[in-house]
Amino acid sequence: MTPLYTIDVAHPPRPSSAVEHQLADAWLHVRRSRQLRVLKVIHGYGSSGGPGSIRDTARNWAWDHRRHFCAVINGEEYSLQDIRTQDLRKAVGDFTDPDLGGSNPGVLIIWIH
């Protein structure tokens, strides 16, 4: 079984409070699981050509709760050259993820204790 749990907080667009609630629920789900250790958040990049409010909400939420995580990795940094990604994959094992190495600014990887 893969240690990765993926949620999409960008579709459909919703208020920040609903995004934060969905993030908290997903975090608890992963934390309570015996197999899951990684939360992948699809927050999108924004439709206006620049970072969107849902992206900001997701990244700010992760920053505010960072003490509960081993690492928070922005999608554009999520690659095998990133030390946090290397540490994550050493700890939880290799798993298939199409966004690994893709420099995707629309995702966020959260490694949960």
Side-chain angles (χ1 to χ4, degrees):
M1 178 168 186
T2 181
L4 181 68
Y5 182 68
T6 302
I7 62 168
D8 184 344
V9 299
H11 305 99
R14 63 198 76 172
S16 294
S17 60
V19 170
E20 290 172 345
H21 182 75
Q22 187 178 3
L23 288 165
D25 285 349
W27 164 53
L28 289 174
H29 176 76
V30 172
R31 197 166 159 231
R32 290 177 180 150
S33 170
R34 290 181 180 224
Q35 291 86 20
L36 300 172
R37 293 282 54 97
V38 181
L39 174 60
K40 178 178 174 180
V41 180
I42 300 169
H43 53 61
Y45 185 68
S47 59
S48 64
S53 63
I54 293 176
R55 174 188 165 203
D56 292 343
T57 297
R59 290 186 177 193
N60 288 338
W61 181 89
W63 173 258
D64 291 344
H65 294 85
R66 67 189 179 278
R67 71 181 185 279
H68 301 288
F69 312 137
C70 296
V72 176
I73 308 166
N74 295 331
E76 56 271 27
E77 300 163 349
Y78 181 50
S79 75
L80 293 177
Q81 286 71 46
D82 178 74
I83 190 71
R84 295 163 302 167
T85 304
Q86 293 171 13
D87 291 344
L88 179 152
R89 293 178 76 81
K90 282 180 198 170
V92 304
D94 288 333
F95 54 91
T96 302
D97 185 355
D99 287 307
L100 179 63
S103 298
N104 184 349
V107 301
L108 180 66
I109 306 299
I110 302 174
W111 178 15
I112 297 174
H113 290 289

